[in-house]
Amino acid sequence: MVSNLRCSLMGLAVGILAGCAGSAKPDDLIASSEASVKTAQEIGAQGYPRAALSLQLAVDELQHARDFIKSGDEEKAKLQLLRAKVDGDLALALTQSARAVADAEAARERLRAITVPASEE
Amino acid sequence: MRTTLTSLALISLAACATAVAPAELVAARAAYTRAEAGAANTYKPDELHEARLALARAEQAFTADGADDHSVTLAYLALRRTEMAEADGVTAQAMAEKQQDTAQLTQTATTELRQTRKDLNQTREELASEAEARDRSERLAREALNKLALVSVPVKEEPRGTVITLPGSVLFASGKSALLSSGTQKLAQVASVLKDQPEHEIAIEGYTRGSDDLNQALSERRAETVRNFLIAQGLPGDHINAVGLGASSPVADNTTAEGRADNRRVEIVVKEPSEPK
């Protein structure tokens, strides 16, 4: 589901960058970028260093985009929003990855605990 | 003409050389090379493919337009796309490893549980067997006591074991250590009972009423005589010890004829079998 969303948004990004920028609305891009950031925050990306860095980049890029919109530079705003979106998605992916690795390590430890004989006293 | 063409080529090369790839594109290329060698290639080939397409678009944009905002953004997106493929590859690999370890954990735990149950059942069977043996031993002991009671042999339970007391007057003539016929008969009855309990250690203690050396030696000989008789009746010699204790541990007053008769005695101590270790 997340991957499909990423693919469609990637397609949108390519479309925008290929010359359709004029037809894309900044409001739509803001909504998708904000959703990405919110999702990353909700699953706790702040708790994992690499994910936290990506999340912070997304937040900063979102703010830059708003600043460009205020100053009337929609083109630059759209580029920042695209960056915010992928950085938010990456924060999500890195969080999931860190958790999966920790879970796998815990499972390995449990297995090791019952398969490796205790040292004799 | 040749000089002009050479100059044009040099100018063209110089133009290419100045078109330095932006840091985002350089990073995207390196990330893709790294991702190709990592878990994404095995576990997320579709995402890696999308990342390759994103990188190709960035390269095309850079070739066509140089490092403008659009091509740099495309390179940035390609970089993140590749990093996402890497992260998702690591996630998928970790999940697969966890699943494998969990399955092995379950299998190991199941095997250990089966072994534990087997050991438990074996221990239960051993305990039941030991309890049965103990019950049998106690039953035999009770039966033995009953048999001895039937032939008027005094039997009592003491901390050191079951003590069978045989009066000296029944076993031996005064000052002698050879068995009387009445003593032989009585000892044969005792021996038939003790043969049913071969696992018990037996101590034979000879006592006299006098405390001098002669009486001490007499008590030793009498104890030894009883021991030899029991062995002759089929009891295992290595389970029987004999000792003469003279006038020690009198059971009655030596000033009366009855008391002196009681003190002249042989005690057969049937000890409890030691607990299994």
Side-chain angles (χ1 to χ4, degrees):
Chain A
M1 183 69 180
V2 172
S3 287
N4 290 340
L5 186 62
R6 279 186 202 152
C7 286
S8 57
L9 284 165
M10 202 65 189
L12 175 64
V14 172
I16 292 166
L17 291 167
C20 309
S23 61
K25 296 177 182 175
D27 287 350
D28 293 340
L29 289 175
I30 284 177
S32 64
S33 300
E34 284 178 339
S36 175
V37 167
K38 188 180 175 189
T39 303
Q41 286 170 332
E42 284 175 351
I43 68 159
Q46 302 91 323
Y48 302 89
R50 282 192 65 198
L53 180 62
S54 289
L55 179 60
Q56 188 57 51
L57 279 173
V59 169
D60 291 347
E61 286 154 354
L62 202 51
Q63 185 55 49
H64 290 153
R66 290 194 181 103
D67 293 341
F68 282 128
I69 290 170
K70 277 184 186 172
S71 63
D73 194 341
E74 281 201 3
E75 285 304 312
K76 284 192 175 177
K78 287 175 185 174
L79 297 182
Q80 285 298 311
L81 289 170
L82 290 172
R83 289 182 179 231
K85 169 64 183 161
V86 290
D87 277 319
D89 287 349
L90 181 58
L92 172 64
L94 289 171
T95 303
Q96 291 171 330
S97 174
R99 284 186 177 158
V101 168
D103 284 351
E105 183 58 32
R108 193 169 302 122
E109 278 303 315
R110 284 195 295 274
L111 179 62
R112 192 176 296 139
I114 69 163
T115 53
V116 176
S119 58
E120 291 184 10
E121 292 179 4
Chain B
M1 179 66 177
R2 185 178 291 173
T3 306
T4 307
L5 285 174
T6 304
S7 299
L8 281 172
L10 285 172
I11 291 166
S12 176
L13 280 172
C16 286
T18 56
V20 177
E24 289 83 349
L25 186 55
V26 173
R29 289 169 183 163
Y32 184 79
T33 302
R34 188 178 63 233
E36 256 192 326
N41 203 3
T42 305
Y43 293 95
K44 290 291 175 183
D46 51 342
E47 287 190 36
L48 193 60
H49 176 69
E50 290 297 328
R52 188 167 64 81
L53 295 179
L55 180 59
R57 283 191 289 270
E59 295 281 12
Q60 284 172 0
F62 173 62
T63 303
D65 304 322
D68 66 2
D69 281 352
H70 281 197
S71 69
V72 168
T73 301
L74 275 177
Y76 189 86
L77 297 180
L79 169 63
R80 295 300 186 236
R81 185 80 186 169
T82 305
E83 288 173 338
M84 272 186 262
E86 279 187 295
D88 288 344
V90 169
T91 301
Q93 183 180 23
M95 289 171 74
E97 288 173 356
K98 180 189 172 186
Q99 190 176 13
Q100 190 177 358
D101 286 347
T102 302
Q104 194 178 344
L105 183 72
T106 303
Q107 187 181 0
T108 305
T110 304
T111 304
E112 287 202 353
L113 181 61
R114 282 185 187 143
Q115 184 60 43
T116 302
R117 280 181 178 159
K118 189 177 170 186
D119 292 346
L120 183 61
N121 285 336
Q122 188 177 344
T123 303
R124 279 178 179 155
E125 286 171 10
E126 286 172 0
L127 286 173
S129 177
E130 284 173 11
E132 190 181 343
R134 194 164 51 248
D135 289 346
R136 181 173 172 275
S137 176
E138 287 173 0
R139 181 169 48 77
L140 288 174
R142 278 197 302 276
E143 288 172 1
L145 291 177
N146 291 338
K147 283 182 187 175
L148 288 174
L150 287 174
V151 295
S152 301
V153 174
V155 176
K156 58 187 172 184
E157 290 296 328
E158 292 186 7
R160 56 185 174 148
T162 303
V163 180
I164 303 164
T165 303
L166 297 166
S169 58
V170 173
L171 298 177
F172 306 105
S174 179
K176 305 291 184 186
S177 59
L179 285 169
L180 296 170
S181 62
S182 59
T184 302
Q185 188 181 357
K186 192 69 79 179
L187 271 180
Q189 291 169 332
V190 172
S192 70
V193 169
L194 295 181
K195 274 196 288 189
D196 291 338
Q197 303 176 65
E199 71 275 17
H200 293 260
E201 291 285 330
I202 294 172
I204 298 169
E205 298 172 352
Y207 294 94
T208 55
R209 65 180 176 81
S211 58
D212 53 28
D213 290 346
L214 282 175
N215 275 294
Q216 173 63 35
L218 180 62
S219 70
E220 291 171 7
R221 286 198 304 277
R222 285 177 170 175
E224 194 61 33
T225 297
V226 172
R227 178 178 183 271
N228 290 337
F229 182 84
L230 293 180
I231 292 170
Q233 292 293 306
L235 270 70
D238 57 349
H239 277 55
I240 306 174
N241 289 316
V243 60
L245 296 173
S248 63
S249 304
V251 293
D253 187 357
N254 266 327
T255 59
T256 66
E258 190 179 342
R260 286 193 293 276
D262 287 344
N263 286 334
R264 290 169 57 232
R265 68 196 190 279
V266 170
E267 290 182 355
I268 300 174
V269 182
V270 184
K271 299 179 179 176
E272 288 301 317
S274 27
E275 291 289 328
K277 291 178 182 175

